[in-house]
Amino acid sequence: MRYDNVAIETLVQGRGPAVVMLPSLGRDGLEDFDTVAESLAASGFKVLRPQPRGVGKSSGPMVGQDLNHFARDVAEVIDRLGDGKAVIVGHAFGHFIARMTAMKYPTKVRGVVLAAASAKDTAERNPKVWATPVIAGDLSLPDAQRLAALELGFFAPGNSPKSWLGGWHPAVSKMQREKRVPLSEWWSAGSAPLLELIPEDDPFKPRDRWDELKVEYGPRVTVVTIPKSSHALFIEQPVVVAKAIADWSKRLP
């Protein structure tokens, strides 16, 4: 899929209402999403996995970009491959893009799934946790240091983080972190229905913040907690995650 000077390679699986899956910071979402994507396709959805600029055949400007540009990429994918309307699943950093897409292109978004979304104040409240994606994705660091970051920020006790030593794209991470957009411009996700998947052991969303969105937006928000999982919930609990997304998406108008 191309527009202007941007090309977005997109993996397409299944037929039915479109579900767009957006990966975590600096990741491509291929192996991370494989099991859940296959399950959603088997459940009657057309699953679209657009690759971030700089991954595979996706290309375009990678300096001076922000959530507005990434949201445009998603909107173009929805138009070209999703029949103009989709549920957007944003994993970790991907939830920022999903929310911005819903803000800027509300007619294209049936609903937004916030999977392992951080609390509003995680960066200030727990900077060590906030730094874990950057450390884990820094391929110049020793594996032991990267594994420690993954254990702290991404994996529940008893779940091995070794599979996530691969799958990182440092240039993509740098692009995605370069320009911050004020929270007020994307946080609400417009008026889209929201499904929040909260991993029970995710330090990015501690238990005293679990009701954060429900309090703020009331009946727009459906909350499902995912047991025995942390920030990497798609590979820790793929069956539970896929069912939650499918059940909620089928109830949307």
Side-chain angles (χ1 to χ4, degrees), residues 103-226:
M103 285 287 288
K104 296 194 69 174
Y105 308 97
T107 62
K108 302 181 191 299
V109 181
R110 294 178 59 220
V112 175
V113 180
L114 308 173
S118 56
K120 269 187 179 179
D121 61 351
T122 300
E124 295 76 24
R125 191 184 193 197
N126 199 334
K128 288 185 178 180
V129 166
W130 195 255
T132 56
V134 178
I135 296 170
D138 186 344
L139 305 185
S140 69
L141 295 176
D143 284 357
Q145 186 175 349
R146 297 175 61 217
L147 285 170
L150 288 168
E151 288 176 348
L152 174 62
F154 285 83
F155 285 82
N159 295 339
S160 174
K162 290 183 179 179
S163 64
W164 261 41
L165 283 174
W168 296 93
H169 302 268
V172 174
S173 175
K174 181 179 179 182
M175 171 188 69
Q176 292 170 334
R177 291 182 287 113
E178 181 186 356
K179 290 185 67 177
R180 296 189 66 179
V181 175
L183 181 143
S184 60
E185 294 186 21
W186 54 265
W187 177 261
S188 71
S191 59
L194 302 175
L195 169 63
E196 184 168 27
L197 302 181
I198 302 179
E200 290 187 352
D201 293 298
D202 188 0
F204 285 84
K205 189 81 159 193
R207 287 176 183 261
D208 63 355
R209 297 295 192 273
W210 279 10
D211 64 349
E212 181 178 57
L213 289 182
K214 194 72 173 176
V215 168
E216 192 165 359
Y217 298 118
R220 274 182 63 201
V221 182
T222 300
V223 175
V224 176
T225 57
I226 309 298

Side-chain angles (χ1 to χ4, degrees), residues 4-69:
D4 299 338
N5 60 343
V6 176
I8 302 297
E9 181 180 18
T10 304
L11 179 61
V12 181
Q13 293 168 269
R15 295 181 179 180
V19 175
V20 178
M21 304 187 73
L22 306 179
S24 182
L25 181 77
R27 296 189 68 82
D28 53 41
L30 292 178
E31 292 185 6
D32 301 349
F33 289 155
D34 274 348
T35 302
V36 172
E38 289 171 6
S39 178
L40 290 174
S43 296
F45 295 95
K46 184 179 186 180
V47 182
L48 308 175
R49 285 190 272 174
Q51 299 306 291
R53 301 179 190 188
V55 175
K57 296 179 181 178
S58 290
S59 62
M62 294 185 65
V63 176
Q65 307 299 289
D66 62 23
L67 293 179
N68 292 283
H69 301 91

